[in-house]
Amino acid sequence: MSGHSKWSTIKHKKAALDAKRGKSFTKLIKEITVAARVGGGDSNANPRLRTLLEKAKAINMPMDNTVRAIKKGTGELPGVSYEQYIYEGYGPGGIAILAEVLTDNKNRSAGELRHAFAANGGNLAEAGSVMWMFEKMGVIKVEAGKLTEDQMLEKLLDFDVADLTLDEGLFYITCNPKSMEAIKQVLTNDQVKVESAELEWTPKTTMKIGDEEAKKAYEFLTNIEDLDDIQNVYTNLG
């Protein structure tokens, strides 16, 4: 594995700030609606929905919002039908980018994304041109507290873990997707606070660019992620 990227840390801080502003509610409601539509409204039988409801609770989203989102997904309430798409492209310095979109209007989303890429020094690419550089992995963010890396590694010995990084008080655990829920449960049972556990597109290798280009790249990634229909942005920038 390539290890942890600074973009992951920036995204984490940005998500915390967006949550305080209530900015993340809309995107999360979309995800809950789709998860309920695909896997049903019972969180006990729908792991993806369960994870999203935990995230909603963590950012203090009102229960009414989540209940409505679930009912729209299951068809108990009328609602917009969202579809998921992945767009591929390149940003400043030639960094590879995957952008996950959740939208009720593909043409609108594609147009906004194409404009945002062009306006910020990047360009969209054809399907398949970037995807091969990434793989879907489980990524668990954990509050380090007083735990050392050696102590955390000891807790993870029985699992298929690809990478462990400590950055600014958080452990980033990259693991086989099949191991994610089990790792999360073990850590929770050990009274370790799990900030999040998500399936993410992780770069097989990362690339380094100059400081000035990196600054432009982080601004570019932030601008793309702020688009209304964007759910997640992944990059191979190290």
Side-chain angles (χ1 to χ4, degrees):
M1 278 298 297
S2 56
H4 175 67
S5 73
K6 184 181 175 185
W7 173 238
S8 297
T9 307
I10 292 172
K11 278 181 68 175
H12 182 80
K13 291 179 178 178
K14 184 177 180 300
L17 185 60
D18 286 349
K20 287 181 181 178
R21 296 170 173 168
K23 191 176 179 181
S24 55
F25 282 15
T26 302
K27 292 188 177 185
L28 189 51
I29 285 170
K30 281 186 185 180
E31 285 194 84
I32 291 170
T33 299
V34 171
R37 187 187 76 199
V38 173
D42 180 3
S43 60
N44 292 318
N46 186 340
R48 177 59 184 157
L49 179 60
R50 184 166 64 248
T51 297
L52 292 171
L53 293 181
E54 289 171 358
K55 186 188 286 191
K57 185 177 180 181
I59 64 173
N60 298 314
M61 182 185 289
M63 182 67 74
D64 285 352
N65 291 21
T66 58
V67 170
R68 279 198 302 272
I70 291 170
K71 287 185 175 180
K72 286 178 181 179
T74 58
E76 296 171 74
L77 286 176
V80 176
S81 178
Y82 298 109
E83 298 296 333
Q84 295 174 300
Y85 303 95
I86 295 180
Y87 290 90
E88 306 172 41
Y90 296 94
I95 60 170
I97 294 165
L98 291 181
E100 288 185 334
V101 169
L102 203 53
T103 182
D104 60 340
N105 187 325
K106 183 181 180 182
N107 291 335
R108 180 195 67 220
S109 300
E112 289 178 350
L113 194 58
R114 189 173 292 108
H115 174 76
F117 263 77
N120 290 280
N123 62 281
L124 283 177
E126 292 186 10
S129 57
V130 166
M131 182 71 77
W132 64 272
M133 302 182 198
F134 296 79
E135 57 188 330
K136 206 66 171 286
M137 300 290 284
V139 178
I140 306 170
K141 300 180 184 73
V142 177
E143 275 193 12
K146 296 180 180 179
L147 283 173
T148 65
E149 283 194 61
D150 285 343
Q151 288 171 326
M152 180 57 77
L153 276 171
E154 192 173 336
K155 294 179 183 293
L156 302 174
L157 284 177
D158 294 334
F159 301 101
D160 187 0
V161 172
D163 188 70
L164 173 67
T165 306
L166 177 60
D167 187 18
E168 296 191 21
L170 281 179
F171 281 113
Y172 291 80
I173 303 164
T174 305
C175 64
N176 185 311
K178 294 179 181 178
S179 301
M180 188 175 73
E181 284 298 320
I183 292 173
K184 179 182 171 185
Q185 193 60 56
V186 164
L187 294 176
T188 301
N189 291 344
D190 284 352
Q191 307 301 310
V192 177
K193 185 176 179 182
V194 176
E195 290 267 336
S196 65
E198 300 277 350
L199 294 179
E200 299 185 4
W201 287 105
T202 305
K204 295 175 183 177
T205 59
T206 56
M207 67 178 289
K208 299 288 184 183
I209 57 178
D211 290 345
E212 196 60 38
E213 278 190 321
K215 183 180 177 182
K216 291 178 183 176
Y218 292 128
E219 290 176 358
F220 172 91
L221 292 165
T222 300
N223 288 336
I224 297 299
E225 195 170 61
D226 278 341
L227 294 175
D228 288 342
D229 292 335
I230 293 290
Q231 290 301 114
N232 291 293
V233 177
Y234 305 104
T235 179
N236 67 344
L237 175 60

mmCIF file with all atom_site columns, all heavy atoms in Angstrom, residues 158-171:
data_model
loop_
_atom_site.group_PDB
_atom_site.id
_atom_site.type_symbol
_atom_site.label_atom_id
_atom_site.label_alt_id
_atom_site.label_comp_id
_atom_site.label_asym_id
_atom_site.label_entity_id
_atom_site.label_seq_id
_atom_site.pdbx_PDB_ins_code
_atom_site.Cartn_x
_atom_site.Cartn_y
_atom_site.Cartn_z
_atom_site.occupancy
_atom_site.B_iso_or_equiv
_atom_site.pdbx_formal_charge
_atom_site.auth_seq_id
_atom_site.auth_comp_id
_atom_site.auth_asym_id
_atom_site.auth_atom_id
_atom_site.pdbx_PDB_model_num
ATOM 1   N N   . ASP A 1 158 ? -4.970  -9.827  13.875 1.00 0.00 ? 158 ASP A N   1
ATOM 2   C CA  . ASP A 1 158 ? -5.792  -10.911 13.321 1.00 0.00 ? 158 ASP A CA  1
ATOM 3   C C   . ASP A 1 158 ? -6.535  -10.508 12.049 1.00 0.00 ? 158 ASP A C   1
ATOM 4   O O   . ASP A 1 158 ? -7.296  -11.316 11.504 1.00 0.00 ? 158 ASP A O   1
ATOM 5   C CB  . ASP A 1 158 ? -6.811  -11.397 14.361 1.00 0.00 ? 158 ASP A CB  1
ATOM 6   C CG  . ASP A 1 158 ? -6.146  -12.065 15.552 1.00 0.00 ? 158 ASP A CG  1
ATOM 7   O OD1 . ASP A 1 158 ? -5.029  -12.588 15.383 1.00 0.00 ? 158 ASP A OD1 1
ATOM 8   O OD2 . ASP A 1 158 ? -6.744  -12.057 16.646 1.00 0.00 ? 158 ASP A OD2 1
ATOM 9   N N   . PHE A 1 159 ? -6.314  -9.281  11.578 1.00 0.00 ? 159 PHE A N   1
ATOM 10  C CA  . PHE A 1 159 ? -7.092  -8.786  10.443 1.00 0.00 ? 159 PHE A CA  1
ATOM 11  C C   . PHE A 1 159 ? -6.211  -8.477  9.238  1.00 0.00 ? 159 PHE A C   1
ATOM 12  O O   . PHE A 1 159 ? -5.003  -8.286  9.355  1.00 0.00 ? 159 PHE A O   1
ATOM 13  C CB  . PHE A 1 159 ? -7.882  -7.536  10.843 1.00 0.00 ? 159 PHE A CB  1
ATOM 14  C CG  . PHE A 1 159 ? -8.840  -7.765  11.978 1.00 0.00 ? 159 PHE A CG  1
ATOM 15  C CD1 . PHE A 1 159 ? -8.524  -7.369  13.275 1.00 0.00 ? 159 PHE A CD1 1
ATOM 16  C CD2 . PHE A 1 159 ? -10.052 -8.404  11.756 1.00 0.00 ? 159 PHE A CD2 1
ATOM 17  C CE1 . PHE A 1 159 ? -9.405  -7.592  14.323 1.00 0.00 ? 159 PHE A CE1 1
ATOM 18  C CE2 . PHE A 1 159 ? -10.940 -8.634  12.798 1.00 0.00 ? 159 PHE A CE2 1
ATOM 19  C CZ  . PHE A 1 159 ? -10.607 -8.229  14.084 1.00 0.00 ? 159 PHE A CZ  1
ATOM 20  N N   . ASP A 1 160 ? -6.860  -8.406  8.088  1.00 0.00 ? 160 ASP A N   1
ATOM 21  C CA  . ASP A 1 160 ? -6.179  -8.121  6.834  1.00 0.00 ? 160 ASP A CA  1
ATOM 22  C C   . ASP A 1 160 ? -6.040  -6.602  6.670  1.00 0.00 ? 160 ASP A C   1
ATOM 23  O O   . ASP A 1 160 ? -6.855  -5.951  6.022  1.00 0.00 ? 160 ASP A O   1
ATOM 24  C CB  . ASP A 1 160 ? -6.988  -8.724  5.668  1.00 0.00 ? 160 ASP A CB  1
ATOM 25  C CG  . ASP A 1 160 ? -6.262  -8.612  4.339  1.00 0.00 ? 160 ASP A CG  1
ATOM 26  O OD1 . ASP A 1 160 ? -5.137  -8.076  4.319  1.00 0.00 ? 160 ASP A OD1 1
ATOM 27  O OD2 . ASP A 1 160 ? -6.823  -9.069  3.326  1.00 0.00 ? 160 ASP A OD2 1
ATOM 28  N N   . VAL A 1 161 ? -4.998  -6.048  7.301  1.00 0.00 ? 161 VAL A N   1
ATOM 29  C CA  . VAL A 1 161 ? -4.751  -4.605  7.286  1.00 0.00 ? 161 VAL A CA  1
ATOM 30  C C   . VAL A 1 161 ? -3.626  -4.286  6.310  1.00 0.00 ? 161 VAL A C   1
ATOM 31  O O   . VAL A 1 161 ? -2.554  -4.890  6.357  1.00 0.00 ? 161 VAL A O   1
ATOM 32  C CB  . VAL A 1 161 ? -4.388  -4.093  8.699  1.00 0.00 ? 161 VAL A CB  1
ATOM 33  C CG1 . VAL A 1 161 ? -3.949  -2.634  8.652  1.00 0.00 ? 161 VAL A CG1 1
ATOM 34  C CG2 . VAL A 1 161 ? -5.577  -4.258  9.633  1.00 0.00 ? 161 VAL A CG2 1
ATOM 35  N N   . ALA A 1 162 ? -3.883  -3.344  5.409  1.00 0.00 ? 162 ALA A N   1
ATOM 36  C CA  . ALA A 1 162 ? -2.899  -2.981  4.390  1.00 0.00 ? 162 ALA A CA  1
ATOM 37  C C   . ALA A 1 162 ? -2.006  -1.828  4.822  1.00 0.00 ? 162 ALA A C   1
ATOM 38  O O   . ALA A 1 162 ? -0.851  -1.740  4.414  1.00 0.00 ? 162 ALA A O   1
ATOM 39  C CB  . ALA A 1 162 ? -3.608  -2.616  3.090  1.00 0.00 ? 162 ALA A CB  1
ATOM 40  N N   . ASP A 1 163 ? -2.549  -0.938  5.666  1.00 0.00 ? 163 ASP A N   1
ATOM 41  C CA  . ASP A 1 163 ? -1.774  0.240   6.039  1.00 0.00 ? 163 ASP A CA  1
ATOM 42  C C   . ASP A 1 163 ? -2.319  0.829   7.343  1.00 0.00 ? 163 ASP A C   1
ATOM 43  O O   . ASP A 1 163 ? -3.533  0.807   7.585  1.00 0.00 ? 163 ASP A O   1
ATOM 44  C CB  . ASP A 1 163 ? -1.839  1.296   4.930  1.00 0.00 ? 163 ASP A CB  1
ATOM 45  C CG  . ASP A 1 163 ? -0.895  2.459   5.186  1.00 0.00 ? 163 ASP A CG  1
ATOM 46  O OD1 . ASP A 1 163 ? 0.334   2.252   5.091  1.00 0.00 ? 163 ASP A OD1 1
ATOM 47  O OD2 . ASP A 1 163 ? -1.370  3.566   5.492  1.00 0.00 ? 163 ASP A OD2 1
ATOM 48  N N   . LEU A 1 164 ? -1.413  1.331   8.168  1.00 0.00 ? 164 LEU A N   1
ATOM 49  C CA  . LEU A 1 164 ? -1.786  2.024   9.406  1.00 0.00 ? 164 LEU A CA  1
ATOM 50  C C   . LEU A 1 164 ? -0.934  3.275   9.522  1.00 0.00 ? 164 LEU A C   1
ATOM 51  O O   . LEU A 1 164 ? 0.294   3.203   9.462  1.00 0.00 ? 164 LEU A O   1
ATOM 52  C CB  . LEU A 1 164 ? -1.559  1.123   10.627 1.00 0.00 ? 164 LEU A CB  1
ATOM 53  C CG  . LEU A 1 164 ? -1.756  1.797   11.999 1.00 0.00 ? 164 LEU A CG  1
ATOM 54  C CD1 . LEU A 1 164 ? -3.222  2.175   12.208 1.00 0.00 ? 164 LEU A CD1 1
ATOM 55  C CD2 . LEU A 1 164 ? -1.281  0.886   13.122 1.00 0.00 ? 164 LEU A CD2 1
ATOM 56  N N   . THR A 1 165 ? -1.595  4.424   9.672  1.00 0.00 ? 165 THR A N   1
ATOM 57  C CA  . THR A 1 165 ? -0.875  5.694   9.781  1.00 0.00 ? 165 THR A CA  1
ATOM 58  C C   . THR A 1 165 ? -1.461  6.514   10.918 1.00 0.00 ? 165 THR A C   1
ATOM 59  O O   . THR A 1 165 ? -2.677  6.548   11.112 1.00 0.00 ? 165 THR A O   1
ATOM 60  C CB  . THR A 1 165 ? -1.003  6.513   8.473  1.00 0.00 ? 165 THR A CB  1
ATOM 61  O OG1 . THR A 1 165 ? -0.580  5.719   7.364  1.00 0.00 ? 165 THR A OG1 1
ATOM 62  C CG2 . THR A 1 165 ? -0.141  7.763   8.534  1.00 0.00 ? 165 THR A CG2 1
ATOM 63  N N   . LEU A 1 166 ? -0.588  7.181   11.669 1.00 0.00 ? 166 LEU A N   1
ATOM 64  C CA  . LEU A 1 166 ? -1.010  8.098   12.725 1.00 0.00 ? 166 LEU A CA  1
ATOM 65  C C   . LEU A 1 166 ? -0.737  9.513   12.255 1.00 0.00 ? 166 LEU A C   1
ATOM 66  O O   . LEU A 1 166 ? 0.389   9.850   11.892 1.00 0.00 ? 166 LEU A O   1
ATOM 67  C CB  . LEU A 1 166 ? -0.237  7.805   14.018 1.00 0.00 ? 166 LEU A CB  1
ATOM 68  C CG  . LEU A 1 166 ? -0.515  8.722   15.219 1.00 0.00 ? 166 LEU A CG  1
ATOM 69  C CD1 . LEU A 1 166 ? -1.981  8.659   15.626 1.00 0.00 ? 166 LEU A CD1 1
ATOM 70  C CD2 . LEU A 1 166 ? 0.382   8.339   16.397 1.00 0.00 ? 166 LEU A CD2 1
ATOM 71  N N   . ASP A 1 167 ? -1.783  10.346  12.222 1.00 0.00 ? 167 ASP A N   1
ATOM 72  C CA  . ASP A 1 167 ? -1.636  11.710  11.722 1.00 0.00 ? 167 ASP A CA  1
ATOM 73  C C   . ASP A 1 167 ? -2.556  12.650  12.500 1.00 0.00 ? 167 ASP A C   1
ATOM 74  O O   . ASP A 1 167 ? -3.779  12.486  12.498 1.00 0.00 ? 167 ASP A O   1
ATOM 75  C CB  . ASP A 1 167 ? -1.965  11.764  10.229 1.00 0.00 ? 167 ASP A CB  1
ATOM 76  C CG  . ASP A 1 167 ? -1.676  13.115  9.602  1.00 0.00 ? 167 ASP A CG  1
ATOM 77  O OD1 . ASP A 1 167 ? -0.920  13.904  10.197 1.00 0.00 ? 167 ASP A OD1 1
ATOM 78  O OD2 . ASP A 1 167 ? -2.200  13.393  8.510  1.00 0.00 ? 167 ASP A OD2 1
ATOM 79  N N   . GLU A 1 168 ? -1.942  13.602  13.191 1.00 0.00 ? 168 GLU A N   1
ATOM 80  C CA  . GLU A 1 168 ? -2.676  14.624  13.938 1.00 0.00 ? 168 GLU A CA  1
ATOM 81  C C   . GLU A 1 168 ? -3.734  14.023  14.860 1.00 0.00 ? 168 GLU A C   1
ATOM 82  O O   . GLU A 1 168 ? -4.897  14.447  14.871 1.00 0.00 ? 168 GLU A O   1
ATOM 83  C CB  . GLU A 1 168 ? -3.311  15.637  12.983 1.00 0.00 ? 168 GLU A CB  1
ATOM 84  C CG  . GLU A 1 168 ? -2.271  16.433  12.199 1.00 0.00 ? 168 GLU A CG  1
ATOM 85  C CD  . GLU A 1 168 ? -2.869  17.619  11.457 1.00 0.00 ? 168 GLU A CD  1
ATOM 86  O OE1 . GLU A 1 168 ? -3.967  18.066  11.850 1.00 0.00 ? 168 GLU A OE1 1
ATOM 87  O OE2 . GLU A 1 168 ? -2.243  18.098  10.504 1.00 0.00 ? 168 GLU A OE2 1
ATOM 88  N N   . GLY A 1 169 ? -3.329  13.019  15.639 1.00 0.00 ? 169 GLY A N   1
ATOM 89  C CA  . GLY A 1 169 ? -4.212  12.461  16.648 1.00 0.00 ? 169 GLY A CA  1
ATOM 90  C C   . GLY A 1 169 ? -5.214  11.437  16.157 1.00 0.00 ? 169 GLY A C   1
ATOM 91  O O   . GLY A 1 169 ? -6.072  10.984  16.914 1.00 0.00 ? 169 GLY A O   1
ATOM 92  N N   . LEU A 1 170 ? -5.114  11.077  14.867 1.00 0.00 ? 170 LEU A N   1
ATOM 93  C CA  . LEU A 1 170 ? -6.025  10.079  14.306 1.00 0.00 ? 170 LEU A CA  1
ATOM 94  C C   . LEU A 1 170 ? -5.240  8.927   13.688 1.00 0.00 ? 170 LEU A C   1
ATOM 95  O O   . LEU A 1 170 ? -4.234  9.145   13.015 1.00 0.00 ? 170 LEU A O   1
ATOM 96  C CB  . LEU A 1 170 ? -6.912  10.692  13.220 1.00 0.00 ? 170 LEU A CB  1
ATOM 97  C CG  . LEU A 1 170 ? -8.122  11.524  13.619 1.00 0.00 ? 170 LEU A CG  1
ATOM 98  C CD1 . LEU A 1 170 ? -8.803  12.032  12.354 1.00 0.00 ? 170 LEU A CD1 1
ATOM 99  C CD2 . LEU A 1 170 ? -9.112  10.734  14.451 1.00 0.00 ? 170 LEU A CD2 1
ATOM 100 N N   . PHE A 1 171 ? -5.705  7.712   13.927 1.00 0.00 ? 171 PHE A N   1
ATOM 101 C CA  . PHE A 1 171 ? -5.197  6.568   13.200 1.00 0.00 ? 171 PHE A CA  1
ATOM 102 C C   . PHE A 1 171 ? -6.034  6.392   11.938 1.00 0.00 ? 171 PHE A C   1
ATOM 103 O O   . PHE A 1 171 ? -7.266  6.442   11.990 1.00 0.00 ? 171 PHE A O   1
ATOM 104 C CB  . PHE A 1 171 ? -5.302  5.286   14.040 1.00 0.00 ? 171 PHE A CB  1
ATOM 105 C CG  . PHE A 1 171 ? -4.229  5.127   15.067 1.00 0.00 ? 171 PHE A CG  1
ATOM 106 C CD1 . PHE A 1 171 ? -4.525  5.175   16.426 1.00 0.00 ? 171 PHE A CD1 1
ATOM 107 C CD2 . PHE A 1 171 ? -2.903  4.921   14.681 1.00 0.00 ? 171 PHE A CD2 1
ATOM 108 C CE1 . PHE A 1 171 ? -3.535  5.016   17.373 1.00 0.00 ? 171 PHE A CE1 1
ATOM 109 C CE2 . PHE A 1 171 ? -1.902  4.763   15.629 1.00 0.00 ? 171 PHE A CE2 1
ATOM 110 C CZ  . PHE A 1 171 ? -2.219  4.812   16.986 1.00 0.00 ? 171 PHE A CZ  1
#
